[in-house]
Amino acid sequence: MTAWRLPRAVPLRLRLFFRAVFALLALATLAMALGVLIEEKQLAHRHYQAGLQKTKEQIVARLRHPTGQLALLNPRAGGEATVPLKPLVLPFSAIDFDDKTKVQQAVEMAGCLVQYRDGANLCVAVGNNPFAGGFIYLAGSFASGALVPHLPGDLDFGSAHRVRVSVAMRGQTWRWIAPFETLAEGANVGPSGAPGHRGRLTGYVDGVPITHGTKTVRDFRGWLWQDGRCADDSADPASDCAKRSFFSIRLPVEVFRDALFQGDRARIVWPPPDLAQILVRLQVLAPGEGAPLFDSDSQGAEPPFALADLGELLLPGERLRIRRQGATDDLATLVGRATDEAPRARWLDGLVRRLPVEGYDAPLELRESIATSLGRYELQLSGDVRSVNRTLAAVATRVSGFVGAMLAAVLVAWLLIELRIIRRITLLTKRAASVSKGMRSAGGLPRIDVADLRGSDELGVLAQGLQDLLQRVDEDLRREQIRAQQEKDQWHAVGHEIVSPLQSLLALHGAADDPSHRYLRRMQQAVQVLYGQASPSEAFESTTLQLAPLDLDAFLGHVAANADAVGVRDLRYASPGAPVNVRADEFSLEDVVTHVLRNADRHRVPGSPITLRLNFDAREARVEIHNEGAPIADAMLEKIFEYGVSEHADEGDETDEGHRGQGLFVARTYMAKMGGTIAARNADGGVVFTLRLPRV
């Protein structure tokens, strides 16, 4: 059983790989979801900032409009009941009540009209300049039939259309009755071509008997215009249809006038502090004793724009503060209304709050200043990014189900692969590892059984193939071990038999000027390299060279002079004529050059010379060996330096059995150990081998 014990790292590594893949897939899913949340939070934060800026611009635009200035001048109007009506402070000093067009433009632009269900409207206001007169202005419209004017000298106002107005303030009540009286010129023509009516509303004190000597109220001024067109565009103007009438009235208020003309003008407070306690009622009465055509105390009226209406522009959590410049108290503080929030998970809510977003912690406050006729007002709009968190958490809660489903799918896929594939791979890996261990031992392969792993799938076929190959692998392993031992013994024997004669030859040719001494030393070095090694390639790769300074020019000159001794004839050396010093092993470098020269000699055109050229620069020396002959295939230019590969091997030349593809391998190995390189390239008419060595 000991043969089945294996290092745990072998089977565990594969398991860890597959499990790490699924863990990374799960982490990638979570990271993707988290990254999307961070990106969405950043986008939501930017959108919220842009939306808050746009909200501020909308608020400022509305408040700078006369409608907004009306709301600023009457900050508490929006929180009070619509009826009875109370005067508003206009953003104008006064109204030119005698001109219908100007009155209509003023009240419509200011937005002070209270809208009633029957289509009527009414504006009750005072000017923002106390020195324009202490008056209350009433302007509005209603629909009725043709107006019946009051005839001169008729003491009964009930036979004509009339307007009744009452004002209650500071414990007093003023009432006026104003019958409609046409002008001397009579009827005029309206824009549609239908005749219209224009007349005066003459004011009398209501409740006082009317006699021929009763005087009108001097400062009571009123006008009434009836359009010649029908209120319903589809009706015939010539018929008795309802037509739109517009009126403009100026009420004299004695309390205001007394404060203006009897008090200290420098101390006049305008608008009056009790303006919100002034109650105004207007009724338009038809001839007779019937119900009023229009009553300002009618229920269901829609008030004009007020500061409170700006709250509709605010999102939940946003706060708008408005105050007069220099004041300590706010005119209005508005907070966005809370809406029904979508359900969200508490843990996702906490996660979204902790997601890092640049600038998210900075307070969101926007400020603006608005100028009106009564002073400047400051706005402060504060945002609340918590609403962004809540909205994003609600979205994340809905999406979390999909993320959970993806993670569950990853888990199920991992379990299926773990049971179906990983377990069998693990068993097969353990048994294959036991085969590997047996191959490294001298006892041969162990007996293993993979019958339980066989099947019709890929792993089953692999297990069957492993079973079929075990016997053959065991036999090949034993033969390889025997062959390697025999080869090693052979090299030992060859080295032993050559060393002894070499020693004798070196003794006979020991003189330094003896040409044979140099080649005997090279042969001795080659024997020392190969002696005791299992293979020549291992021997060359494990060789340690002795590098020393060498004059490359003198060295190549010596090689060229003795080229005939190695069987290379007609070698022409192009000397630079100057010493070129490099660091190299002289004998190893001579082996390199000799191997290349012999290779060039074998493949050159018969009778052509071999050129040996030395070039150099400040950094390196380059030795080029050129022969004329057939070029080397491009695919073989690098491959020829591998062990066992011969130049022009792709030509199928089997006659040259003495060349084993060893010379160029030795050349590249020695050049690398000397810090240089060797390369081959095809040139015009032949091949060039380039040897590069760094200079010293």
Side-chain angles (χ1 to χ4, degrees):
M1 297 298 293
T2 57
W4 291 86
R5 284 188 185 173
L6 300 171
R8 294 184 60 85
V10 175
L12 188 59
R13 191 174 301 151
L14 186 60
R15 291 188 192 182
L16 289 177
F17 173 75
F18 276 98
R19 291 169 183 172
V21 168
F22 282 99
L24 288 175
L25 184 59
L27 290 176
T29 303
L30 292 175
M32 178 186 68
L34 189 62
V36 170
L37 277 180
I38 294 176
E39 184 177 359
E40 288 299 321
K41 186 174 180 180
Q42 292 174 340
L43 291 175
H45 186 236
R46 289 197 292 268
H47 290 166
Y48 183 78
Q49 288 179 318
L52 189 66
Q53 180 68 26
K54 186 177 295 184
T55 301
K56 188 209 74 171
E57 293 173 357
Q58 291 177 345
I59 293 174
V60 170
R62 295 197 67 173
L63 293 181
R64 283 178 175 165
H65 190 270
T67 304
Q69 295 193 16
L70 179 76
L72 286 174
L73 296 175
N74 305 273
R76 294 173 178 80
E80 300 176 352
T82 308
V83 294
L85 296 179
K86 303 175 181 63
L88 301 176
V89 180
L90 291 172
F92 317 116
S93 60
I95 294 180
D96 188 358
F97 59 91
D98 293 328
D99 190 320
K100 176 187 175 183
T101 302
K102 292 182 179 180
V103 175
Q104 284 181 323
Q105 290 178 349
V107 297
E108 290 176 0
M109 184 178 294
C112 62
L113 291 170
V114 178
Q115 304 291 336
Y116 293 86
R117 292 180 178 178
D118 58 356
N121 53 55
L122 176 60
C123 172
V124 180
V126 298
N128 61 25
N129 187 353
F131 301 105
F135 302 104
I136 295 178
Y137 299 98
L138 293 87
S141 64
F142 62 91
S144 67
L147 295 178
V148 178
H150 172 250
L151 298 178
D154 188 359
L155 299 179
D156 183 14
F157 295 161
S159 61
H161 282 82
R162 57 203 180 277
V163 175
R164 176 176 286 131
V165 184
S166 65
V167 176
M169 62 178 295
R170 300 177 186 176
Q172 301 183 50
T173 302
W174 292 268
R175 295 183 178 88
W176 297 271
I177 185 74
F180 170 67
E181 298 178 353
T182 58
L183 297 178
E185 61 268 20
N188 7 41
V189 178
S192 63
H197 289 278
R198 174 175 178 266
R200 186 190 307 274
L201 293 173
T202 305
Y204 296 87
V205 176
D206 192 16
V208 176
I210 303 300
T211 65
H212 289 289
T214 303
K215 294 184 179 182
T216 62
V217 179
R218 186 185 62 177
D219 291 328
F220 184 99
R221 301 288 297 274
W223 296 93
L224 181 60
W225 298 270
Q226 186 175 48
D227 196 356
R229 297 172 298 181
C230 295
D232 184 1
D233 294 337
S234 62
D236 185 6
S239 63
D240 188 14
C241 62
K243 298 180 176 62
R244 178 67 59 182
S245 298
F246 183 81
F247 58 87
S248 171
I249 301 174
R250 185 189 71 177
L251 297 179
V253 182
E254 296 179 359
V255 177
F256 292 168
R257 297 170 64 87
D258 294 342
L260 289 173
F261 297 107
Q262 297 179 8
D264 185 359
R265 288 178 170 248
R267 297 182 179 180
I268 294 177
V269 177
W270 193 264
D274 59 347
L275 189 65
Q277 280 74 45
I278 301 176
L279 305 180
V280 180
R281 183 179 184 182
L282 181 142
Q283 293 176 311
V284 179
L285 304 176
E289 299 297 331
L293 294 175
F294 168 67
D295 190 348
S296 63
D297 281 357
S298 300
Q299 298 297 322
E302 182 179 346
F305 173 75
L307 292 181
D309 297 334
L310 295 175
E312 299 177 356
L313 300 177
L314 303 180
L315 295 177
E318 295 179 351
R319 181 182 297 271
L320 175 64
R321 300 175 60 188
I322 304 175
R323 69 171 57 181
R324 189 186 294 268
Q325 190 175 30
T328 57
D329 298 331
D330 295 335
L331 289 178
T333 301
L334 306 176
V335 180
R337 298 177 183 177
T339 57
D340 295 335
E341 297 182 354
R344 60 184 189 274
R346 298 182 64 181
W347 68 274
L348 277 175
D349 198 2
L351 175 63
V352 170
R353 285 199 305 269
R354 290 174 174 81
L355 292 179
V357 173
E358 183 179 356
Y360 197 78
D361 298 332
L364 295 179
E365 287 188 0
L366 302 177
R367 298 177 181 272
E368 190 63 53
S369 178
I370 298 178
T372 67
S373 56
L374 294 182
R376 300 185 68 88
Y377 293 84
E378 296 178 349
L379 275 69
Q380 178 181 333
L381 179 60
S382 302
D384 184 9
V385 295
R386 292 178 297 178
S387 60
V388 178
N389 288 340
R390 290 191 292 268
T391 303
L392 189 58
V395 175
T397 301
R398 295 195 300 268
V399 178
S400 61
F402 297 99
V403 177
M406 293 175 63
L407 293 177
V410 172
L411 178 61
V412 171
W414 170 71
L415 290 176
L416 293 177
I417 293 178
E418 184 77 21
L419 296 176
R420 179 64 180 168
I421 300 177
I422 301 300
R423 184 185 63 84
R424 298 172 65 196
I425 289 179
T426 302
L427 294 175
L428 187 60
T429 302
K430 289 181 179 179
R431 296 174 189 181
S434 66
V435 174
S436 177
K437 183 177 180 180
M439 292 178 64
R440 290 193 299 269
S441 65
L445 294 176
R447 296 286 182 177
I448 64 172
D449 185 13
V450 293
D452 58 333
L453 300 177
R454 296 176 182 175
S456 58
D457 58 2
E458 290 83 352
L459 287 177
V461 174
L462 182 60
Q464 180 64 42
L466 179 63
Q467 182 72 31
D468 294 340
L469 291 175
L470 285 179
Q471 184 66 32
R472 180 64 178 270
V473 171
D474 186 30
E475 295 175 358
D476 290 345
L477 178 61
R478 294 181 182 276
R479 285 197 296 268
E480 179 65 21
Q481 291 174 348
I482 295 173
R483 187 196 64 79
Q485 185 62 37
Q486 290 176 347
E487 185 175 352
K488 188 173 183 178
D489 294 341
Q490 178 184 358
W491 283 110
H492 280 208
V494 170
H496 182 271
E497 293 300 324
I498 294 177
V499 166
S500 196
L502 280 178
Q503 294 292 343
S504 301
L505 288 174
L506 282 172
L508 294 176
H509 301 277
D513 55 350
D514 190 345
S516 299
H517 178 77
R518 181 182 185 88
Y519 294 103
L520 289 175
R521 289 291 303 274
R522 286 178 55 194
M523 184 179 299
Q524 185 183 38
Q525 179 178 342
V527 172
Q528 290 175 353
V529 169
L530 297 174
Y531 184 77
Q533 300 295 332
S535 65
S537 62
E538 294 178 359
F540 293 127
E541 291 178 351
S542 62
T543 302
T544 301
L545 304 184
Q546 302 297 325
L547 303 183
L550 177 67
D551 183 358
L552 191 57
D553 179 58
F555 169 80
L556 293 177
H558 177 78
V559 170
N562 294 277
D564 291 342
V566 295
V568 179
R569 293 176 173 80
D570 199 7
L571 175 62
R572 301 175 183 179
Y573 172 53
S575 173
V580 180
N581 294 324
V582 296
R583 287 185 61 84
D585 186 300
E586 182 178 1
F587 295 138
S588 299
L589 183 58
E590 187 170 353
D591 282 343
V592 170
V593 176
T594 301
H595 285 309
V596 176
L597 289 176
R598 285 176 175 173
N599 186 80
D601 181 61
R602 287 196 304 271
H603 298 286
R604 66 176 168 176
V605 176
S608 63
I610 298 176
T611 303
L612 180 62
R613 181 178 291 105
L614 174 60
N615 299 317
F616 65 92
D617 54 28
R619 298 178 56 186
E620 65 177 9
R622 296 180 299 277
V623 179
E624 295 183 353
I625 301 175
H626 175 264
N627 69 282
E628 298 179 7
I632 303 174
D634 293 341
M636 296 294 294
L637 287 175
E638 286 293 328
K639 196 173 182 180
I640 58 176
F641 295 100
E642 298 178 6
Y643 186 79
V645 178
S646 178
E647 185 179 354
H648 302 290
D650 57 335
E651 298 176 2
D653 185 7
E654 299 179 356
T655 59
D656 195 4
E657 297 180 356
H659 304 296
R660 303 178 58 185
Q662 179 174 300
L664 294 182
F665 171 78
V666 173
R668 170 163 284 188
T669 301
Y670 283 174
M671 287 297 295
K673 290 180 178 293
M674 289 183 289
T677 61
I678 181 173
R681 61 181 174 87
N682 292 316
D684 294 339
V687 178
V688 175
F689 283 83
T690 304
L691 284 68
R692 300 174 183 268
L693 286 171
R695 295 190 60 186
V696 296

